[in-house]
Amino acid sequence: MAELQDLLGLVNYWVFIVLMMVGFYVVIAQGNLIKKVVGLNIFQVSVFVFYISMGKVDGGSAPILDEAVKIYSNPLPHVLILTAIVVGVATTALALALVVRINRAYGTIEEDAIQAIEHDEEDLA
Amino acid sequence: MIEALSHNMTASDPWLILLVVVPLLSAPLCILLRSGIAAWSVATAVSWVVFAIALYLLNTVMESGTMIYRIGGWDAPWGIEYRLDAVGAFVIVIVAAIGAVVMPYARQSVAAEIPAERHYLFYAMMMLNLSGLLGIAVTGDAFNLFVFLEISSLSTYVLISLGSDRRALTAAYRYLIMGTLGATFYIIGVGLMYQMTGTLNISDLATIMPAVAETRTILAAMAFLTVGISLKIALFPLHTWLPNAYTFAPSVVTIFIAATATKVAVYILLRIVFTVFGQVDIFAHFPIQPVLMVMAIAAMFLASLSAIWQENVKRMMAYSSVAQIGYMVLGVALATETGLTGSIVHLFNHAIMKGAAFMAIGAIIFATGAVTIKDLEGIGRRMPLTMAAFVVAGLSLIGVPLTVGFISKWQLVSASLELNMWPLAALIVLSSLLAIVYVWRIFEVAYLRQPHITEHNPKIVPLSMLIPTWILALAGIYFGANATFTLDVAHAAARQLMGGL
């Protein structure tokens, strides 16, 4: 019973690991450059979930000073994740901008097709 | 005396933060100016100011020890603390020196390779990149380090995508994917450490670490950190993003990132292994030593072998970088004072020689547009000065005595002999033989073949490109013949790391 509680109590961490693996798999396995960015986003969001879960203190309230409240959750990981979200947004924007330019230059955003084109170019060079 | 010392430890030195803030603020300034030449002037001036600050900081650190700056006046571990010790000071001098030499070179090379309307954006990105790389080396906070890592990485992706070949775009995209995975692995590692220690301050982490070192959480943290940082270092076999990124980036970008970015990533590895885990017997708890050593040796041999078969000179030098990264990581894996000294001094030495090599290649591209070995036939006679600088850099890559490459390899060989690892010493020497093969391929084509007669003469390489190339080439000889200064600093840095701060 205690084990089951542990298992359920750690549900956030299970979600983190599942999301992380899903994201990571999509990044590796997908050949479409946009889908890779989607995978990368899922991967990054899993880390946000991880940090935010880590800041939770059992029975703690939101970290706003109040005389009635004795225990607060740890606000630091949340603040860190605000920064990480900004970084994530910047990365996504840049990745999508690159995909747009790749599409203009190659006429495709499928990795296999791009690799075939690049391979031909190398033979010519 | 003790009072004076402790006073020095708590005093905040604003130059630490100015080192990062000056280039950071110059980036938006470059964009506001909207003119290529104005942005270049600002960037060049800033790179020299930053170099002066870096030299001052190195001098102060070597004389009076670790420097600290508390951001907003908050004491660590509550506030973010900037902390500069000998390793950090050495790394910022490497980055700032390369920045200061590259910027004068950049004007003509960038004018030839990048459309004029993008010049001011290019210099803004260079400044952001410089700021990020310097920030990594001065910050004393593990999460702040991540932010700087991403500042430098994001600007690098943009800079690579500015290359004139369309393959620059895919190279930048692939680097972005791999780089982001690496950086995210790093914050997962930092998060796991925070979970166990409740702190992000690097020296605070080091103090608390022994109490929690044997938990599974920390083991997982160490695994994530090692893989994440190795991606950024381009340690074999996680180097796949590097060759194309170096090959298709504009010449100036290749010079700058080849000489600085991977070095700073090695610095992060040193920080984690020897500072954060400095008071833990890390090699007893984690199998990091054999992993790093095997990967380093694989890099030394396989990347050198790949370099031999390349037809594109930039890609050949890129593979050579992967091989040289092997030497740096090997010193880390040896984990002795001599090995670390070799590693740290090689950060500097490799920055100089690879900087000179890529500058010479950049000048050849500027003058003739040649990038393949075949195009280089007889180039030694048509561009004697540029090619001579390349020869110096090439000899250094091999590790010929009186060049900087020899100093690093000598340190690494002595370190392996100290540990009675004869086979390892033999492997270091053997891998240098592979460097002879690929460097010789270029020498042979450049000097022993007839130039194409039909082609028009190469453009004259301007002095603004030739002088920086020769500054680095001559530095490669000077610090090879007289390595007291670099070895002293590297040794002090290694001693500090081994002593766990």
Side-chain angles (χ1 to χ4, degrees):
Chain A
M1 192 60 198
E3 271 176 17
L4 187 69
Q5 251 174 357
D6 275 356
L7 220 57
L8 291 177
L10 294 173
V11 65
N12 284 30
Y13 294 97
W14 290 115
V15 170
F16 153 60
I17 288 174
V18 169
L19 277 179
M20 184 172 87
M21 287 306 151
V22 168
F24 197 34
Y25 177 78
V26 172
V27 173
I28 293 168
Q30 276 295 337
N32 182 301
L33 299 189
I34 297 271
K35 288 182 185 166
K36 269 187 191 294
V37 177
V38 173
L40 198 63
N41 268 311
I42 297 174
F43 181 64
Q44 286 179 311
V45 165
S46 78
V47 181
F48 304 163
V49 173
F50 165 57
Y51 265 77
I52 293 166
S53 316
M54 180 165 83
K56 174 69 182 162
V57 174
D58 270 346
S61 127
I64 302 165
L65 271 182
D66 189 291
E67 288 191 356
V69 183
K70 288 282 182 313
I71 308 170
Y72 297 102
S73 283
N74 183 355
L76 185 71
H78 303 175
V79 180
L80 297 178
I81 279 327
L82 278 180
T83 315
I85 288 172
V86 174
V87 172
V89 169
T91 313
T92 309
L94 181 58
L96 292 176
L98 282 173
V99 175
V100 169
R101 287 192 55 201
I102 287 172
N103 189 34
R104 271 190 215 143
Y106 289 84
T108 175
I109 54 166
E110 292 297 327
E111 205 174 31
D112 299 345
I114 293 170
Q115 253 162 8
I117 296 171
E118 288 188 348
H119 193 75
D120 292 346
E121 272 176 14
E122 239 133 78
D123 285 345
L124 289 172
Chain B
M1 179 62 199
I2 289 164
E3 228 170 49
L5 208 65
S6 65
H7 176 73
N8 186 38
M9 285 293 285
T10 50
S12 261
D13 193 320
W15 289 111
L16 274 180
I17 184 105
L18 284 172
L19 181 77
V20 181
V21 167
V22 170
L24 191 66
L25 289 182
S26 71
L29 185 63
C30 286
I31 291 179
L32 288 174
L33 288 170
R34 289 205 157 260
S35 132
I37 184 82
W40 172 77
S41 311
V42 169
T44 309
V46 166
S47 69
W48 289 349
V49 168
V50 162
F51 183 43
I53 300 177
L55 283 179
Y56 158 77
L57 290 174
L58 176 68
N59 190 35
T60 317
V61 165
M62 292 311 285
E63 268 172 17
S64 48
T66 305
M67 297 168 80
I68 284 171
Y69 179 82
R70 288 163 298 162
I71 292 186
W74 293 88
D75 280 323
W78 315 118
I80 293 176
E81 161 190 71
Y82 280 15
R83 191 185 186 97
L84 193 68
D85 58 8
V87 203
F90 197 44
V91 171
I92 61 168
V93 167
I94 296 171
V95 174
I98 296 293
V101 182
V102 160
M103 288 319 293
Y105 179 99
R107 210 176 82 72
Q108 297 279 347
S109 179
V110 167
E113 290 181 22
I114 296 173
E117 71 273 12
R118 289 191 193 147
H119 284 180
Y120 71 99
L121 295 170
F122 175 87
Y123 292 115
M125 281 301 138
M126 283 296 276
M127 286 298 104
L128 274 186
N129 199 349
L130 183 64
S131 160
L133 293 174
L134 292 168
I136 292 172
V138 292
T139 188
D141 184 279
F143 196 83
N144 199 232
L145 195 153
F146 161 74
V147 176
F148 280 123
L149 187 66
E150 284 297 59
I151 291 177
S152 67
S153 304
L154 285 168
S155 51
T156 309
Y157 310 146
V158 178
L159 286 168
I160 291 168
S161 76
L162 288 169
S164 44
D165 193 298
R166 64 176 171 178
R167 278 170 287 180
L169 295 171
T170 45
Y173 180 86
R174 276 178 206 137
Y175 184 16
L176 184 144
I177 298 287
M178 301 280 272
T180 308
L181 287 179
T184 311
F185 269 46
Y186 174 82
I187 43 166
I188 295 174
V190 169
L192 290 167
M193 289 198 299
Y194 179 75
Q195 219 172 8
M196 294 310 291
T197 61
T199 181
L200 292 166
N201 182 288
I202 291 176
S203 30
D204 213 27
L205 275 170
T207 323
I208 302 174
M209 200 52 77
V212 292
E214 284 174 58
T215 57
R216 204 180 293 170
T217 314
I218 294 297
L219 182 66
M222 194 61 209
F224 275 112
L225 290 169
T226 312
V227 175
I229 299 166
S230 299
L231 261 165
K232 284 289 179 187
I233 297 181
L235 178 60
F236 184 90
L238 303 172
H239 68 285
T240 48
W241 58 267
L242 187 143
N244 268 3
Y246 283 18
T247 309
F248 298 115
S251 302
V252 173
V253 177
T254 310
I255 299 163
F256 190 68
I257 61 175
T260 56
T262 47
K263 316 291 172 294
V264 172
V266 172
Y267 163 84
I268 305 176
L269 183 67
L270 289 171
R271 242 322 147 242
I272 298 294
V273 173
F274 294 101
T275 305
V276 172
F277 289 87
Q279 290 163 32
V280 182
D281 187 5
I282 184 172
F283 298 111
H285 293 313
F286 311 110
I288 184 172
Q289 194 162 22
V291 171
L292 289 183
M293 201 171 282
V294 168
M295 294 307 158
I297 293 170
M300 282 154 49
F301 280 90
L302 298 176
S304 295
L305 278 173
S306 309
I308 292 173
W309 302 111
Q310 298 307 317
E311 288 305 319
N312 182 315
V313 189
K314 270 178 112 179
R315 187 175 280 146
M316 178 189 278
M317 286 298 119
Y319 274 108
S320 146
S321 276
V322 178
Q324 299 281 331
I325 288 161
Y327 296 112
M328 295 170 209
V329 174
L330 184 67
V332 178
L334 287 173
T336 60
E337 221 170 276
T338 323
L340 270 186
T341 309
S343 249
I344 294 166
V345 86
H346 197 50
L347 299 181
F348 179 82
N349 292 346
H350 182 247
I352 287 183
M353 57 182 145
K354 210 31 91 50
F358 275 122
M359 274 189 173
I361 293 172
I364 292 170
I365 292 173
F366 177 86
T368 66
V371 280
T372 61
I373 296 226
K374 206 175 158 313
D375 297 335
L376 293 184
E377 285 180 351
I379 201 84
R381 258 168 274 175
R382 298 162 79 199
M383 302 178 62
L385 279 174
T386 310
M387 209 47 215
F390 186 86
V391 169
V392 173
L395 293 176
S396 210
L397 283 172
I398 299 169
V400 174
L402 289 183
T403 63
V404 279
F406 176 73
I407 304 291
S408 333
K409 282 189 186 157
W410 178 258
Q411 284 291 322
L412 289 174
V413 168
S414 334
S416 16
L417 293 184
E418 270 174 21
L419 294 170
N420 276 327
M421 296 166 109
W422 288 91
L424 192 61
L427 286 176
I428 294 171
V429 177
L430 213 61
S431 66
S432 303
L433 296 179
L434 294 175
I436 298 182
V437 178
Y438 63 75
V439 171
W440 175 253
R441 273 192 76 200
I442 300 183
F443 287 3
E444 194 253 344
V445 168
Y447 286 101
L448 302 181
R449 301 228 183 132
Q450 288 302 321
H452 302 287
I453 308 158
T454 49
E455 274 176 47
H456 44 80
N457 278 331
K459 274 196 278 179
I460 307 269
V461 178
L463 281 180
S464 68
M465 290 172 78
L466 207 51
I467 292 174
T469 313
W470 270 100
I471 288 178
L472 286 187
L474 290 176
I477 297 173
Y478 176 79
F479 289 112
N482 179 12
T484 331
F485 169 70
T486 45
L487 278 179
D488 276 355
V489 178
H491 195 228
R495 215 172 26 232
Q496 218 166 32
L497 285 174
M498 291 302 289
L501 259 193

